[in-house]
Amino acid sequence: MQQRIQISGFILTLGLSLVPVDAHANIYGYIDEQGAAHFATEKIDARYQLFMRGQQFNAADSTATGPAKPELLRYLSKHPNLKKFEPLLKVASNEFSIELPLLKAIMAAESGFDPGAVSPRGAIGLMQVMPATAERYGLQGDKNKTIEQKLADPEINIRLGARYLRDLHRMFPNQQELVLASYNAGEGAVQQYRNKIPPYPETRNYVQLVTQIYQLYQDRPASRKVEATIFAGSGYNAKRIYLTIPGRRNLLASAAVPTE
């Protein structure tokens, strides 16, 4: 949240700041030898195959995006931590009037569903909340727990992330791209660029990635039918998810992703 991190290198071209952001760019992915899923907003190397094509994502079209797609879809749709924390997401969604698919998409992009994820700049947990942002909303450390320890609590973390998103929606009504850009770079950066997405490689890629994953999580009867076919009768033990956002540094993730 606000101050982001780099997972893979990215060279910003001179013309980037002059080109409008396509919030519906393609997403690529692959499964590595250890069974971890990797997603990115560009084809970083030959391992990455097309997973989602702009706004044309169709869960029924598994051949158009390569043989890895059903497994990649499984990671985003059926990760055990998504199910585990969905009740907290629903409560926050109702309390702060934030769409549940949007909360899920941001959690996926921010932490890969890892509650122990910490960024090099100190963003914490599932929604990658900065301690300074938490303090702004009244969270304080005490003799029992520091503010960082409290932010590691999934319930507190999700609630603060949703509350911040509500305020960003009020600041930029009906402009979800600016809400996402603000969540990544800070609302000050968006305002500095006259209420446009800042010309930061990471922020532009972040908006694209979250927008696409948000579409995946939106309720689609066809998608549900296909997912039921993909996942029926199959055991699933999710490994780690890595979402590569060019311009962002690695999360210092916890040693393991809880699977229960």
Side-chain angles (χ1 to χ4, degrees), residues 4-198:
R4 287 299 100 221
I5 43 184
Q6 172 178 5
I7 295 180
S8 70
F10 182 82
I11 300 177
L12 176 62
T13 63
L14 181 62
L16 179 60
S17 61
L18 303 178
V19 178
V21 175
D22 177 6
H24 306 287
N26 296 338
I27 291 182
Y28 301 82
Y30 76 97
I31 308 293
D32 68 20
E33 295 82 359
Q34 287 72 44
H38 297 254
F39 298 90
T41 53
E42 61 184 57
K43 189 176 176 66
I44 295 174
D45 57 44
R47 296 171 298 176
Y48 285 85
Q49 302 300 314
L50 182 63
F51 172 60
M52 297 175 69
R53 187 192 304 278
Q55 288 183 289
Q56 307 304 316
F57 175 70
N58 179 358
D61 184 6
S62 60
T63 59
T65 52
K69 184 195 167 177
E71 191 67 16
L72 290 168
L73 180 62
R74 187 197 311 266
Y75 271 71
L76 287 177
S77 301
K78 296 294 182 180
H79 193 283
N81 276 0
L82 182 60
K83 180 179 180 181
K84 177 179 180 179
F85 298 120
E86 187 163 25
L88 298 178
L89 291 168
K90 287 181 177 178
V91 170
S93 171
N94 292 331
E95 181 178 1
F96 298 107
S97 299
I98 300 297
E99 289 183 85
L100 182 61
L102 182 61
L103 288 176
K104 290 180 179 180
I106 290 174
M107 179 184 292
E110 290 287 345
S111 66
F113 310 121
D114 182 2
V118 179
S119 81
R121 299 203 177 171
I124 295 170
L126 291 165
M127 303 295 286
Q128 287 292 281
V129 179
M130 294 291 292
T133 302
E135 287 183 304
R136 183 170 34 165
Y137 288 113
L139 187 67
Q140 297 181 346
D142 55 41
K143 63 180 180 180
N144 296 318
K145 288 185 177 181
T146 65
I147 190 171
E148 289 79 9
Q149 289 172 325
K150 289 184 177 182
L151 272 178
D153 182 316
E155 182 175 5
I156 292 174
N157 195 280
I158 289 171
R159 189 174 185 277
L160 285 173
R163 186 177 176 184
Y164 182 47
L165 283 166
R166 178 201 62 186
D167 290 348
L168 292 175
H169 274 287
R170 289 174 175 175
M171 189 176 299
F172 305 108
N174 302 315
Q175 299 180 84
Q176 183 164 294
E177 293 178 18
L178 296 186
V179 170
L180 295 177
S182 297
Y183 197 90
N184 176 262
E187 63 270 29
V190 173
Q191 292 167 336
Q192 178 184 347
Y193 285 93
R194 299 181 180 181
N195 291 346
K196 303 290 184 182
I197 298 176

